[in-house]
Amino acid sequence: MTLLAALCSGAAGSPAGASGQAVEDAHGKIGIRLLEAPVSRRDDPRARSYIVDHISPGTTIRRRLEISNTSGDAQHIDLYPAGADIVRNRFAMARGRTPNELTGWMSLDRSSLDLPPGGRGTARVAIEVPPAASRGERYGVVWAQAVAEADAAHPVRVVSRVGIRVYLDIGRGGEPPSDFRIEELTPVRAPDGSPQLAALVHNTGARALDMSGSLSLSDGPGGLSAGPFAADLGVTLAPGAAAPVTVTLDRRIPDGPWKVELTLMSGMVKRTVSATVTFPRAGAGPPVPPDSGLLSLFGVLGGLVVLLVAVAVLAVRLRRRRATAG
């Protein structure tokens, strides 16, 4: 019997990278983190958690990883790439060492590490994109894996693995845009009685998004405020996809009405919307359109009015100067 425990770095909101914590497996045996990211992405939190890049065909990139033995026993750790995809709005890791096109371009400078208790080691992964590679984004994982074989004292074979996600976009020219839109907010009562807010998010860009964020409540019954509450993690949106991102609140939160302010983000892309909602006693309430879109429209219109007035004033002054000069 085999028990598999697998964690892939970069659950949004818990970044693993040079400035974050290493991702550790469920059994506390091994961990992994990304040690470097492109200088051009130093402000992108996803690039500190994952291997994220946009490169032209015929280009090679390299990233350094740190692998750690977090157990009290020596560990033999295998290193290898495997495929991944986005399935039902989740980043889905392929079974075992199943390859895909991207993993055919990937190599590691070492296939394994032997680490003492508490020890650490490094490895470098290279991704060499062939000149004939077609446009588009590919997904994969760099895995570190340790196996504890079954014996008389431990009848279960335990496979522990931790990984770094890879989001690699191929194409000439500049990087395709990343963007999303929050289209509606739905108050929900979960089966366990917890209030939830489900935000329908539409990926309007050309790169995959890993959603995170938080919700704050104000102007509630008796002037109450609450939060912020972190968004439930795990939603990954492929380009063009739409799916709900849910925030679960404390069960003691009154029904409302509440003024809610929701901020969602993926990497450097961040959007904030607000609305007034009341949580239902059961099931889902009616969807509520966010009011920030209207406010943004007024802001744009106001800016255009100011610009037109300024242009008109400047035109009048120029005419007066020409008349005086004449």
Side-chain angles (χ1 to χ4, degrees):
M1 179 177 179
T2 300
L3 178 63
L4 172 65
L7 287 175
C8 191
S9 82
S14 300
S19 60
Q21 295 181 349
V23 173
E24 297 181 5
D25 75 291
H27 300 294
K29 292 182 178 296
I30 57 175
I32 192 170
R33 67 170 178 163
L34 184 64
L35 290 178
E36 57 190 7
V39 174
S40 61
R41 296 178 182 273
R42 59 179 174 268
D43 296 326
D44 184 351
R46 290 178 81 227
R48 297 194 296 270
S49 302
Y50 323 131
I51 298 174
V52 183
D53 218 331
H54 164 78
I55 59 177
S56 299
T59 302
T60 299
I61 61 171
R62 294 175 176 84
R63 298 287 185 272
R64 197 160 54 96
L65 315 173
E66 179 183 84
I67 300 90
S68 55
N69 177 5
T70 55
S71 75
D73 301 312
Q75 297 285 349
H76 176 80
I77 302 172
D78 292 317
L79 305 174
Y80 59 90
D85 204 348
I86 299 174
V87 180
R88 298 187 183 92
N89 306 308
R90 293 288 189 271
F91 188 89
M93 290 80 77
R95 184 184 299 273
R97 302 191 181 209
T98 304
N100 63 8
E101 184 183 30
L102 174 57
T103 62
W105 307 337
M106 298 171 66
S107 61
L108 287 134
D109 64 351
R110 57 201 313 172
S111 60
S112 64
L113 286 166
D114 289 292
L115 297 179
R120 299 174 185 273
T122 61
R124 191 179 296 274
V125 58
I127 307 176
E128 186 175 356
V129 180
S134 60
R135 293 181 59 88
E137 192 170 38
R138 277 82 163 176
Y139 313 107
V141 183
V142 182
W143 288 110
Q145 176 177 294
V147 178
E149 297 292 347
D151 55 28
H154 305 89
V156 177
R157 178 177 185 263
V158 178
V159 178
S160 301
R161 65 176 188 169
V162 289
I164 298 288
R165 299 184 188 185
V166 182
Y167 298 76
L168 188 67
D169 186 71
I170 309 300
R172 301 191 183 280
E175 180 171 356
S178 295
D179 204 356
F180 66 89
R181 181 173 63 245
I182 303 172
E183 298 187 337
E184 63 183 28
L185 305 175
T186 301
V188 177
R189 182 70 59 177
D192 68 355
S194 300
Q196 296 179 325
L197 190 72
L200 181 61
V201 180
H202 183 191
N203 183 348
T204 58
R207 299 284 319 254
L209 305 173
D210 294 292
M211 304 308 304
S212 63
S214 63
L215 175 73
S216 295
L217 284 67
S218 61
D219 298 337
L224 290 175
S225 298
F229 300 93
D232 298 346
L233 304 178
V235 175
T236 298
L237 295 175
V245 175
T246 301
V247 183
T248 302
L249 288 70
D250 191 289
R251 195 180 304 182
R252 296 167 294 180
I253 295 291
D255 295 346
W258 293 94
K259 174 71 175 295
V260 299
E261 182 174 280
L262 175 68
T263 298
L264 295 179
M265 65 194 74
S266 176
M268 294 183 290
V269 184
K270 179 186 294 188
R271 298 286 178 263
T272 298
V273 297
S274 59
T276 300
V277 304
T278 298
F279 296 102
R281 296 295 178 88
V288 177
D291 55 26
S292 66
L294 185 59
L295 292 176
S296 298
L297 177 61
F298 286 153
V300 171
L301 291 177
L304 288 174
V305 170
V306 171
L307 178 62
L308 291 173
V309 169
V311 171
V313 170
L314 180 60
V316 169
R317 288 178 177 175
L318 288 174
R319 282 198 293 270
R320 287 177 177 174
R321 289 178 182 177
R322 289 171 181 169
T324 302

